[in-house]
Structures are given as structure tokens and as C-alpha cells.
Amino acid sequence: MAAASARAVAVCGGPTGSGKTTLLTNLGLALADRGQRVLLFEADNDLNDASRQLGLSPPYNLEDYVRARAPLENVLWSVSEGVQLISGTGRIDDLSELKGSLRRRLVEGIHRLESVFDYLLVDCGSGQNEIQLQLIRAAPFVVLVVTDEHQSQREGLMLLQQLKALGLGRPVMLVVNQTTGGTAAQACFQRLDK
């Protein structure tokens, strides 16, 4: 019997403080409260917000695994009962520069983790590099987090256009965050839905 595969959720949004990492972290903790095994995966490497929000400084990060400086088990960091974290590299270009065997090692590691966790929540940022776009495109569920600010919506729209150009044919779930009420959120949704 084959091992179950984690449900991957890519949470993305522009680097404008939309609250995507807070949403991702809280979703992970809520799923764990329901008995699910959750991995928070920081692919938005310029920020490492999940680590900071949780007050963690993991000794190893994703780059340590990919470059074979640490086994995958040492890169996993316990957040709480049922939730673990893989910290990003802290440098935006590291993942986008991966080629050949390093990229294969990253993909291999992700596949191994899919059999261990029920949910793989990926903090993807705005898709500013090829690896992030691939992670977003590969996830069965994509959540785009925007605010009602023009810049946030513009970045969200640009990401949606990139994903469409790459052939993403499934719906993207939209979370309008930090609004003054339901009317503002609905207006933002309608603008992006066009």
C-alpha cells in the first residue's frame, strides 16, 4: 500500500505585508489542532517570516539540506505538536540558482516529506523566481493573499498573469486581508476577478 501524499497548499502574495505568512502559520496551527501533521515550508527566501513570527532560529535551513551540509531530518524544526518548519535560506537568489543535482535533491526532499505530513503549506511570496513559480504551479491548492491597497492588488494580478501564462488551469483561492469590511473585500475580489 502506497503512503499517503500530503496536500500541498501554496500561499502566495506580494512582498507588501499582505499577511500571507500569518495566514499560513495560523492555518498550520489550526490544522494541527485537528490532528493533522503539518509542514510549514518557507520558499519566500528573502524574508524567513514564519521563523521570525514563531520566534525560531533553526540551526539549519533549506540550503543546508540542498547543498548536503545537513540531512533532511536536521532541517525540520518543531514548532508545536503536529507542526514542523523548514526555514528558507534567507537569501532570495539561492533557490532560483539551483541547477542539476541540487534541484533534483530539493525535489527529492519534497517528495519524501509528502509521505510524512498530511499538509505541506508553502510560503511562496510573489513568484519572483522560477522555483517559486514551479512550487505554486505544482500545488493542488493555491491561495493568493492581497490587501485592498493598489500595490498589493497589482502584485497579485501580475502573479496571476504569470501563472496563467505557465498554464495553471485551476482556480486560485483569494484572501482579501486587512480590509475595513466585507464591502471593501468584495470590491477588491471583483477587481481581480475581471
Short mmCIF file of all heavy atoms in Angstrom, two decimals, residues 142-166:
data_model
loop_
_atom_site.label_atom_id
_atom_site.label_comp_id
_atom_site.label_asym_id
_atom_site.label_seq_id
_atom_site.Cartn_x
_atom_site.Cartn_y
_atom_site.Cartn_z
N VAL A 142 -3.91 26.70 -4.40
CA VAL A 142 -3.16 27.95 -4.43
C VAL A 142 -4.02 29.02 -3.78
O VAL A 142 -5.18 29.22 -4.15
CB VAL A 142 -2.80 28.37 -5.88
CG1 VAL A 142 -2.05 29.69 -5.89
CG2 VAL A 142 -1.99 27.27 -6.56
N VAL A 143 -3.44 29.71 -2.79
CA VAL A 143 -4.12 30.79 -2.10
C VAL A 143 -3.33 32.07 -2.34
O VAL A 143 -2.14 32.14 -2.03
CB VAL A 143 -4.22 30.53 -0.57
CG1 VAL A 143 -4.91 31.69 0.13
CG2 VAL A 143 -4.95 29.21 -0.30
N LEU A 144 -3.99 33.07 -2.91
CA LEU A 144 -3.38 34.37 -3.14
C LEU A 144 -3.91 35.33 -2.09
O LEU A 144 -5.12 35.50 -1.94
CB LEU A 144 -3.72 34.89 -4.54
CG LEU A 144 -3.28 36.31 -4.88
CD1 LEU A 144 -1.76 36.44 -4.84
CD2 LEU A 144 -3.82 36.72 -6.25
N VAL A 145 -2.99 35.95 -1.34
CA VAL A 145 -3.36 36.89 -0.28
C VAL A 145 -3.02 38.30 -0.75
O VAL A 145 -1.88 38.58 -1.12
CB VAL A 145 -2.62 36.57 1.04
CG1 VAL A 145 -3.08 37.52 2.15
CG2 VAL A 145 -2.86 35.12 1.45
N VAL A 146 -4.02 39.16 -0.74
CA VAL A 146 -3.83 40.57 -1.11
C VAL A 146 -4.53 41.44 -0.08
O VAL A 146 -5.35 40.96 0.71
CB VAL A 146 -4.39 40.90 -2.52
CG1 VAL A 146 -3.67 40.10 -3.60
CG2 VAL A 146 -5.89 40.66 -2.59
N THR A 147 -4.21 42.71 -0.10
CA THR A 147 -4.93 43.69 0.71
C THR A 147 -5.72 44.58 -0.24
O THR A 147 -5.64 44.42 -1.46
CB THR A 147 -3.97 44.56 1.54
OG1 THR A 147 -3.21 45.39 0.66
CG2 THR A 147 -3.03 43.70 2.39
N ASP A 148 -6.44 45.55 0.30
CA ASP A 148 -7.18 46.45 -0.59
C ASP A 148 -6.31 47.61 -1.08
O ASP A 148 -6.81 48.53 -1.71
CB ASP A 148 -8.48 46.94 0.05
CG ASP A 148 -8.27 47.71 1.33
OD1 ASP A 148 -7.12 47.89 1.75
OD2 ASP A 148 -9.29 48.17 1.90
N GLU A 149 -5.00 47.54 -0.83
CA GLU A 149 -4.09 48.56 -1.35
C GLU A 149 -3.77 48.25 -2.82
O GLU A 149 -3.61 47.09 -3.20
CB GLU A 149 -2.80 48.58 -0.53
CG GLU A 149 -3.01 49.06 0.89
CD GLU A 149 -1.72 49.02 1.71
OE1 GLU A 149 -0.64 48.76 1.14
OE2 GLU A 149 -1.81 49.27 2.91
N HIS A 150 -3.64 49.31 -3.60
CA HIS A 150 -3.41 49.18 -5.04
C HIS A 150 -2.16 48.34 -5.35
O HIS A 150 -2.19 47.46 -6.21
CB HIS A 150 -3.30 50.56 -5.68
CG HIS A 150 -2.99 50.52 -7.13
ND1 HIS A 150 -3.92 50.10 -8.07
CD2 HIS A 150 -1.86 50.78 -7.82
CE1 HIS A 150 -3.37 50.13 -9.27
NE2 HIS A 150 -2.12 50.54 -9.15
N GLN A 151 -1.04 48.60 -4.65
CA GLN A 151 0.22 47.88 -4.92
C GLN A 151 0.06 46.39 -4.68
O GLN A 151 0.54 45.56 -5.47
CB GLN A 151 1.35 48.45 -4.06
CG GLN A 151 2.69 47.78 -4.24
CD GLN A 151 3.30 48.02 -5.62
OE1 GLN A 151 2.94 48.98 -6.31
NE2 GLN A 151 4.20 47.16 -6.04
N SER A 152 -0.60 46.01 -3.61
CA SER A 152 -0.80 44.60 -3.30
C SER A 152 -1.64 43.93 -4.39
O SER A 152 -1.32 42.82 -4.84
CB SER A 152 -1.49 44.46 -1.94
OG SER A 152 -1.78 43.11 -1.66
N GLN A 153 -2.68 44.59 -4.84
CA GLN A 153 -3.53 44.03 -5.89
C GLN A 153 -2.78 43.94 -7.21
O GLN A 153 -2.94 42.98 -7.96
CB GLN A 153 -4.79 44.87 -6.05
CG GLN A 153 -5.70 44.77 -4.83
CD GLN A 153 -6.86 45.71 -4.90
OE1 GLN A 153 -7.45 45.91 -5.96
NE2 GLN A 153 -7.21 46.30 -3.77
N ARG A 154 -1.97 44.95 -7.50
CA ARG A 154 -1.18 44.93 -8.73
C ARG A 154 -0.22 43.75 -8.74
O ARG A 154 -0.10 43.03 -9.72
CB ARG A 154 -0.42 46.25 -8.89
CG ARG A 154 0.22 46.42 -10.25
CD ARG A 154 0.73 47.84 -10.45
NE ARG A 154 1.93 48.15 -9.72
CZ ARG A 154 3.15 47.71 -10.04
NH1 ARG A 154 3.32 46.95 -11.08
NH2 ARG A 154 4.19 48.04 -9.33
N GLU A 155 0.47 43.51 -7.60
CA GLU A 155 1.39 42.38 -7.50
C GLU A 155 0.64 41.06 -7.61
O GLU A 155 1.11 40.11 -8.24
CB GLU A 155 2.16 42.45 -6.18
CG GLU A 155 3.14 43.60 -6.12
CD GLU A 155 3.65 43.87 -4.72
OE1 GLU A 155 3.15 43.27 -3.74
OE2 GLU A 155 4.55 44.72 -4.59
N GLY A 156 -0.55 40.99 -7.00
CA GLY A 156 -1.37 39.78 -7.10
C GLY A 156 -1.80 39.51 -8.53
O GLY A 156 -1.75 38.37 -9.00
N LEU A 157 -2.20 40.55 -9.23
CA LEU A 157 -2.61 40.41 -10.62
C LEU A 157 -1.44 39.97 -11.50
O LEU A 157 -1.60 39.10 -12.35
CB LEU A 157 -3.19 41.72 -11.14
CG LEU A 157 -3.74 41.69 -12.56
CD1 LEU A 157 -4.84 40.65 -12.70
CD2 LEU A 157 -4.25 43.07 -12.95
N MET A 158 -0.27 40.53 -11.27
CA MET A 158 0.92 40.12 -12.04
C MET A 158 1.22 38.65 -11.83
O MET A 158 1.54 37.92 -12.77
CB MET A 158 2.12 41.00 -11.67
CG MET A 158 2.02 42.40 -12.23
SD MET A 158 3.28 43.58 -11.67
CE MET A 158 4.75 42.63 -11.52
N LEU A 159 1.10 38.18 -10.59
CA LEU A 159 1.34 36.76 -10.30
C LEU A 159 0.31 35.89 -11.00
O LEU A 159 0.65 34.87 -11.60
CB LEU A 159 1.33 36.51 -8.79
CG LEU A 159 1.48 35.05 -8.36
CD1 LEU A 159 2.77 34.44 -8.90
CD2 LEU A 159 1.43 34.94 -6.85
N LEU A 160 -0.96 36.28 -10.95
CA LEU A 160 -2.00 35.51 -11.64
C LEU A 160 -1.72 35.43 -13.14
O LEU A 160 -1.90 34.37 -13.75
CB LEU A 160 -3.37 36.14 -11.40
CG LEU A 160 -3.94 35.99 -9.99
CD1 LEU A 160 -5.22 36.82 -9.84
CD2 LEU A 160 -4.19 34.54 -9.64
N GLN A 161 -1.25 36.53 -13.73
CA GLN A 161 -0.93 36.53 -15.16
C GLN A 161 0.24 35.60 -15.46
O GLN A 161 0.23 34.88 -16.46
CB GLN A 161 -0.64 37.96 -15.63
CG GLN A 161 -1.88 38.82 -15.66
CD GLN A 161 -1.59 40.29 -15.87
OE1 GLN A 161 -0.50 40.78 -15.60
NE2 GLN A 161 -2.59 41.02 -16.36
N GLN A 162 1.26 35.60 -14.58
CA GLN A 162 2.40 34.69 -14.76
C GLN A 162 1.93 33.23 -14.70
O GLN A 162 2.34 32.41 -15.51
CB GLN A 162 3.45 34.91 -13.66
CG GLN A 162 4.28 36.14 -13.83
CD GLN A 162 5.27 36.24 -12.68
OE1 GLN A 162 4.87 36.43 -11.53
NE2 GLN A 162 6.54 36.12 -12.98
N LEU A 163 1.09 32.92 -13.73
CA LEU A 163 0.61 31.55 -13.57
C LEU A 163 -0.25 31.12 -14.75
O LEU A 163 -0.14 29.99 -15.22
CB LEU A 163 -0.17 31.40 -12.26
CG LEU A 163 0.66 31.56 -10.99
CD1 LEU A 163 -0.24 31.61 -9.77
CD2 LEU A 163 1.69 30.44 -10.86
N LYS A 164 -1.06 32.02 -15.25
CA LYS A 164 -1.87 31.71 -16.43
C LYS A 164 -0.98 31.44 -17.63
O LYS A 164 -1.20 30.51 -18.39
CB LYS A 164 -2.84 32.85 -16.72
CG LYS A 164 -3.77 32.56 -17.87
CD LYS A 164 -4.77 33.66 -18.09
CE LYS A 164 -5.66 33.29 -19.26
NZ LYS A 164 -6.58 34.36 -19.61
N ALA A 165 0.07 32.25 -17.80
CA ALA A 165 1.00 32.06 -18.92
C ALA A 165 1.71 30.72 -18.82
O ALA A 165 2.08 30.12 -19.83
CB ALA A 165 2.01 33.20 -18.97
N LEU A 166 1.90 30.21 -17.58
CA LEU A 166 2.54 28.92 -17.38
C LEU A 166 1.56 27.75 -17.50
O LEU A 166 1.94 26.60 -17.34
CB LEU A 166 3.22 28.87 -16.00
CG LEU A 166 4.46 29.73 -15.83
CD1 LEU A 166 4.90 29.76 -14.38
CD2 LEU A 166 5.59 29.20 -16.71
#
